[in-house]
């Protein structure tokens, strides 16, 4: 009797914890992989996002990470403009168009503001600029791929 009661109690506890595994760090579907680079092949047509935000895209996206945070994740991207002095970096969400972006993908443009005066080209480390964005769990619901676009390339991370 004690053995069957113990087994039933263990089974009930195991089944009741299944609901929280889907949101835990043990679930591999909650993790994003390291980012991979793809090149942009053609000029993108002018989109509503570009009309609303006139800042240019960063020349190259050199790194991208997705780090878990309480209540969501932090998306961080590092870009390399063509010269020093660019500022006001931001990851601007691109509205999903039915024919352009799959529904399980979030796309961000890495936008930066031009310097007010002529500046030197400088070394790569002196030109790097980083932008970040918090994505809530609601933002990530149903999302399998995050993409950050620059003028010459884009980086993506998948779950």
């Amino acid at each position: 009797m004690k053995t069957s009661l113990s087994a039933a109690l263990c089974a009930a506890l195991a089944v009741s914890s299944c609901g929280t595994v889907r949101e835990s760090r043990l679930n591999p579907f909650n993790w994003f992989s390291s980012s991979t680079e793809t090149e942009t092949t053609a000029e993108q047509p002018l989109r509503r996002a570009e009309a609303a935000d006139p800042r240019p895209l960063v020349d190259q996206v050199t790194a991208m990470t997705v780090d878990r945070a309480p209540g969501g994740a932090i998306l961080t991207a590092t870009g390399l403009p063509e010269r020093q002095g660019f500022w006001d970096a931001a990851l601007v969400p691109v509205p999903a168009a039915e024919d352009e972006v799959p529904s399980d993908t979030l796309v961000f443009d890495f936008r930066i503001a031009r310097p007010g005066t002529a500046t030197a080209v400088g070394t790569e480390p002196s030109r790097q600029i980083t932008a970040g964005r918090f994505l809530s769990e609601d933002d990530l619901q149903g999302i399998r791929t995050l993409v950050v676009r620059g003028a010459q390339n884009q980086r993506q991370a998948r779950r």
Side-chain angles (χ1 to χ4, degrees):
M1 181 70 174
K2 286 184 179 181
T3 305
S4 61
L5 182 61
S6 297
L9 182 61
C10 288
L13 288 173
V15 170
S16 67
S17 67
C18 289
T20 60
V21 171
R22 107 183 122 102
E23 296 173 4
S24 76
R25 293 179 189 250
L26 298 175
N27 186 350
F29 291 111
N30 287 337
W31 302 332
F32 280 94
S33 65
S34 60
S35 67
T36 57
E37 180 179 2
T38 57
E39 295 205 10
T40 55
T41 56
E43 285 294 318
Q44 303 281 337
L46 182 65
R47 296 179 306 270
R48 285 179 281 162
E50 290 172 341
D53 191 344
R55 294 178 293 177
L57 291 171
V58 71
D59 195 40
Q60 297 174 31
V61 180
T62 58
M64 174 185 154
T65 59
V66 182
D67 299 315
R68 289 193 55 85
I74 299 173
L75 172 63
T76 307
T78 302
L80 189 64
E82 61 268 7
R83 58 189 172 102
Q84 294 177 341
F86 281 83
W87 60 287
D88 194 21
L91 298 176
V92 179
V94 174
E98 294 173 15
D99 57 345
E100 188 177 323
V101 179
S103 63
D104 66 346
T105 301
L106 278 179
V107 179
F108 297 91
D109 281 346
F110 193 142
R111 298 208 171 267
I112 52 177
R114 294 188 182 279
T117 60
T119 58
V121 173
T123 62
E124 283 190 15
S126 69
R127 292 183 291 163
Q128 285 184 347
I129 189 165
T130 302
R133 184 177 187 93
F134 177 77
L135 302 171
S136 70
E137 290 178 356
D138 290 339
D139 295 336
L140 295 173
Q141 190 72 25
I143 299 300
R144 309 287 300 154
T145 306
L146 295 174
V147 177
V148 176
R149 297 192 302 198
Q152 293 185 17
N153 70 339
Q154 65 184 16
R155 294 193 75 85
Q156 65 182 8
R158 296 180 188 267
R159 283 198 212 213

